[in-house]
Amino acid sequence: MEPFVFFGGKGGVGKTTVSCAYGVKSARAGLDTLVVSTDPAHSVTDVFDQEFGDEPAPVAGVDGLDAMEIDPETESQRHLDSIRNDLSEQVSAAMVNEINQQLEMAHQTPGAYESALFDRFVDVMRNADPYDRVVFDTSPTGSTLRLLGLPEFLEGWIDRLMHKREKSIDLFEKAAIGNNEPRRVMDGDPVLARLQDRKEFFEFAGGALQADAAFFLVLNPDQLSVNETRRAISEMRERDLSVRGLVANKLTPEPDPDENGRGARYLRDRVATENERLQEVRETLDPPLVAEITTRTAEVKGDLLDDVAAELDVETNAEAPSFV
């Protein structure tokens, strides 16, 4: 199994529960494991009954398991401040105020959160040496798919920016010194250097996601969840990211054979409907079902996490990263 494991799915299907359970499973198998939440709901804190921030902290009662929660708003502001500091060193003081205004507007645009969040979780991947396995509890499907599509999109964008910057320097220098080689390109233009750093960052991200990451989708046994899972598999395939397996969560428990009351009849009807959806998943979706997890009467935390972990037919042995 790859060192980086992602659990995705539509909102409310139980991604956090499954991610935390798999983190516990990996840690119990002797792997130093980190669970990372990119979901602004901060549910990892609720599952483990302790507060987590944006730096890894040990999970009480589970040796070898750490957890952290990446806050999108905090990361977005940090991302903005980093860009502001970089630009302020490369432009005149007269332009700083104008740049600040432009950045504040950019901070509110669609995709700003995803960009900041992407930088942070790739940074976690690049600095994962203390861990054998990193488990990502992702935000709902739509946001995650946009996040995973960023390397390909931004790599092309950076290439175009670099071309325009080189062309600009070339024209500027030729106007100043004739047909000689543009001096600033040879000496090292700071903007080009920054763009090259970003290009290498996105190349790393794309390569690591394809070579060192495994993706699992969590679904509930209802038609809406199955349909969204089907779309997610298709979109990930378009990005050359394969889904390793599917986890069916929140299955209705079947009543005992001798129970015939109204509640028992309802449960049997519900189970029959869910079985139809599961059969559809088995017959029409390529990734295999690696777990079918029944709804518990109590919230899944503490010892119940070990119970759910035991139901996950997902390998825990970790390969060394090949790309990172």
Side-chain angles (χ1 to χ4, degrees):
M1 177 65 73
E2 291 83 351
F4 306 111
V5 178
F6 290 74
F7 287 94
K10 74 189 293 287
V13 295
K15 297 183 299 295
T16 301
T17 299
V18 174
S19 300
C20 292
Y22 182 66
V24 169
K25 185 183 181 78
S26 296
R28 301 284 194 218
L31 278 68
D32 289 324
T33 303
L34 173 66
V35 174
V36 182
S37 174
T38 61
D39 192 334
H42 299 323
S43 300
V44 169
T45 284
D46 299 326
V47 171
F48 289 123
D49 266 340
Q50 66 181 95
E51 291 287 334
F52 295 102
D54 64 355
E55 294 296 331
V59 174
V62 186
D63 293 338
L65 181 61
D66 291 353
M68 62 184 288
E69 293 182 326
I70 300 175
D71 181 67
E73 180 62 41
T74 301
E75 289 307 319
S76 183
Q77 187 60 50
R78 184 181 297 169
H79 188 65
L80 181 69
D81 291 342
S82 173
I83 295 172
R84 182 184 288 116
N85 290 337
D86 285 345
L87 288 176
S88 65
E89 296 171 0
Q90 297 169 16
V91 301
S92 65
M95 291 183 65
V96 171
N97 286 339
E98 178 63 27
I99 285 175
N100 284 337
Q101 290 178 15
Q102 296 293 333
L103 287 175
E104 287 299 332
M105 286 190 290
H107 181 54
Q108 306 300 326
T109 59
Y113 270 25
E114 283 88 350
S115 179
L117 204 54
F118 180 80
D119 274 24
R120 185 69 173 102
F121 93 67
V122 173
D123 183 60
V124 170
M125 295 173 73
R126 294 182 88 167
N127 296 284
D129 288 346
Y131 300 100
D132 303 307
R133 158 121 327 112
V134 180
V135 183
F136 288 92
D137 167 36
T138 67
S139 52
T141 309
S143 296
T144 299
L145 288 174
R146 287 193 296 273
L147 207 65
L148 297 177
L150 283 176
E152 181 181 0
F153 170 75
L154 292 178
E155 247 188 278
W157 181 63
I158 290 289
D159 282 338
R160 291 190 293 275
L161 285 178
M162 291 180 69
H163 174 73
K164 288 181 180 295
R165 180 64 177 175
E166 289 168 350
K167 183 93 172 161
S168 173
I169 293 172
D170 183 64
L171 292 173
F172 176 81
E173 292 294 339
K174 282 180 177 176
I177 59 174
N179 291 324
N180 295 328
E181 178 102 16
R183 185 177 64 254
R184 291 187 65 189
V185 173
M186 286 194 302
D187 295 343
D189 176 65
V191 176
L192 270 179
R194 171 68 173 171
L195 290 172
Q196 182 61 38
D197 285 344
R198 295 300 288 170
K199 178 178 170 62
E200 292 172 1
F201 179 85
F202 294 127
E203 287 174 343
F204 164 84
L209 288 171
Q210 291 179 358
D212 291 324
F215 298 89
F216 293 85
L217 294 177
V218 183
L219 58 92
N220 294 155
D222 62 71
Q223 197 64 63
L224 288 176
S225 185
V226 172
N227 290 347
E228 180 156 335
T229 301
R230 190 189 314 280
R231 288 191 292 269
I233 292 170
S234 176
E235 291 187 40
M236 292 184 71
R237 187 179 294 122
E238 290 174 3
R239 295 182 170 93
D240 293 326
L241 301 172
S242 62
V243 177
R244 181 69 57 82
L246 306 174
V247 177
N249 190 34
K250 299 184 180 179
L251 304 187
T252 301
E254 192 158 6
D256 293 335
D258 59 344
E259 294 184 85
N260 292 300
R262 180 181 178 187
R265 292 195 300 273
Y266 166 80
L267 290 177
R268 286 194 185 91
D269 288 344
R270 181 67 189 166
V271 168
T273 301
E274 292 178 359
N275 284 338
E276 289 176 6
R277 298 289 79 76
L278 292 178
Q279 191 61 28
E280 178 184 349
V281 168
R282 295 187 190 97
E283 292 177 353
T284 65
L285 301 182
D286 291 334
L289 273 172
V290 297
E292 298 178 25
I293 303 170
T294 303
T295 298
R296 267 58 176 181
T297 55
E299 295 177 3
V300 179
K301 56 178 63 178
D303 292 341
L304 283 179
L305 271 177
D306 284 294
D307 292 345
V308 172
E311 297 183 33
L312 289 170
D313 185 17
V314 181
E315 181 61 64
T316 54
N317 291 335
E319 298 176 356
S322 59
F323 194 91
V324 175

